[in-house]
Amino acid sequence: MQHQRKQAASRRPPEGAVAPPEFTAAVRYLNGRRELFRVLKADDMADARAVVLAELDEVQTVVIALRN
């Protein structure tokens, strides 16, 4: 008797599916410190900026860029 192997599910999204946007946030704090963040759960740049500002304190500047 032969064992049949199940095929592994493809990890690629289905054709025509669009991956959600990803953003990079460059943050400068009031004390001069800087950090880069990857923002995954945002609909657009304004939403990404709002997510960053909601999560961080003492932010002086935020620059958001769309990741390709």
Side-chain angles (χ1 to χ4, degrees):
M1 184 166 138
Q2 282 186 325
H3 288 55
Q4 290 184 346
R5 294 181 100 168
K6 277 185 153 179
Q7 278 195 325
S10 173
R11 292 184 183 205
R12 282 192 250 160
E15 286 185 36
V18 177
E22 294 182 17
F23 301 91
T24 298
V27 176
R28 180 182 296 264
Y29 296 97
L30 293 173
N31 65 6
R33 200 175 92 230
R34 299 170 299 208
E35 285 187 279
L36 291 176
F37 294 95
R38 192 170 175 185
V39 182
L40 303 174
K41 306 250 178 186
D43 298 326
D44 54 27
M45 282 197 197
D47 190 28
R49 179 181 174 82
V51 167
V52 170
L53 292 175
E55 294 292 323
L56 302 175
D57 293 326
E58 299 185 11
V59 172
Q60 179 178 355
T61 308
V62 177
V63 176
I64 305 291
L66 180 64
R67 293 176 56 98
N68 289 335

